[in-house]
Amino acid sequence: MESVNLPGILTPDFGLFFWMFVAFLVVFVLLAKYGFPVIVNMVDERKNFIDESLRKAHEAEERLANIEREGESILQEARAKQAQILKEAAETRDAIVEKAQEKARQESARLVSDAKAEIEQQKKAAIADIRKQVATLSVEIAEKVLKQNLQSDQAQMDLIDRMLDDVSSKQ
C-alpha cells in the first residue's frame, strides 16, 4: 500500500493540536469573560420581557373578562329598567284610559241628567200650557153655554139664585 499524503489538518501532529487547543482556550476564556455574560444577560432580559408580556396579557385578559361581566350586568340592569319603565308606562296608560272612561261615564251621566231635567221642565211647561188652553177652552165653552142658556131674564135670575144658595150652604 502506498502511503497517501493527507493534509495536516485531517491528521494533525502534536504541535498543531497544541496550538489549536491554546487558540480554543483563548477564545473560550474571552467568550466566557466577555461574550457569555452578555449573551446570558440578553437571554435573561428577553425571558423577563416575555414573562412580563405574558403577565400583562393575563391581566388584560382578566380585565377584559371583568369588563365583559360588567357589560353583561349593565345590560341586564338596563333590560330590567326597560321592563320596569314599560310596566310603569302600561300602568300609566291603563290609569289614563280608566280615568278617561270614568270621566266619559260621568259626563254622559251628567248629560242624561241634564236631558231628563230639560225633558221634565218641558213636560211641566207643556202641562201648564195644556192646562191654560183647557182653562181657556172651558171658559169659552162655559161662556157659550151660559150665553145660550141665559138668554132670558128669568133664566139669569134662576142661575143667580142657585149660586147664592150654593154659596150660603157652603158657609
Side-chain angles (χ1 to χ4, degrees):
M1 271 203 157
E2 262 179 57
S3 117
V4 179
N5 273 339
L6 294 171
I9 199 147
L10 293 178
T11 56
D13 60 352
F14 182 71
L16 182 62
F17 185 71
F18 174 75
W19 288 113
M20 283 174 57
F21 184 71
V22 170
F24 175 76
L25 281 178
V26 169
V27 170
F28 185 76
V29 168
L30 286 174
L31 281 176
K33 186 167 184 163
Y34 299 108
F36 289 145
V38 171
I39 293 172
V40 169
N41 190 22
M42 289 175 67
V43 169
D44 285 342
E45 285 178 9
R46 182 70 178 159
K47 180 187 171 286
N48 290 338
F49 177 76
I50 290 171
D51 289 343
E52 184 67 21
S53 295
L54 287 174
R55 185 185 61 78
K56 286 181 181 178
H58 183 67
E59 287 176 3
E61 185 177 319
E62 286 178 359
R63 276 189 274 171
L64 181 61
N66 287 338
I67 290 171
E68 286 176 354
R69 283 191 296 269
E70 288 176 13
E72 187 62 34
S73 71
I74 289 171
L75 189 60
Q76 288 175 352
E77 187 177 318
R79 286 181 184 143
K81 283 183 181 180
Q82 178 187 18
Q84 180 66 25
I85 290 170
L86 288 175
K87 181 180 174 186
E88 289 174 1
E91 289 171 356
T92 303
R93 180 199 65 220
D94 292 344
I96 290 171
V97 167
E98 183 63 31
K99 190 175 182 180
Q101 288 175 344
E102 183 60 30
K103 191 172 183 179
R105 280 189 216 106
Q106 291 174 352
E107 184 65 20
S108 68
R110 186 188 64 79
L111 289 174
V112 167
S113 174
D114 290 350
K116 284 181 181 179
E118 180 69 25
I119 290 170
E120 188 63 32
Q121 184 180 6
Q122 288 179 3
K123 179 181 167 185
K124 285 179 182 179
I127 289 173
D129 188 42
I130 289 173
R131 283 184 183 168
K132 184 179 174 186
Q133 287 177 3
V134 167
T136 303
L137 283 174
S138 296
V139 168
E140 287 177 4
I141 291 173
E143 184 182 333
K144 287 182 182 179
V145 167
L146 283 176
K147 278 185 183 181
Q148 195 173 29
N149 286 340
L150 299 177
Q151 291 198 4
S152 69
D153 288 337
Q154 182 58 33
Q156 289 178 6
M157 288 308 281
D158 288 340
L159 179 63
I160 291 172
D161 287 339
R162 270 186 293 169
M163 291 176 107
L164 286 174
D165 289 339
D166 284 341
V167 171
S168 307
S169 66
K170 286 185 182 179
Q171 289 180 350

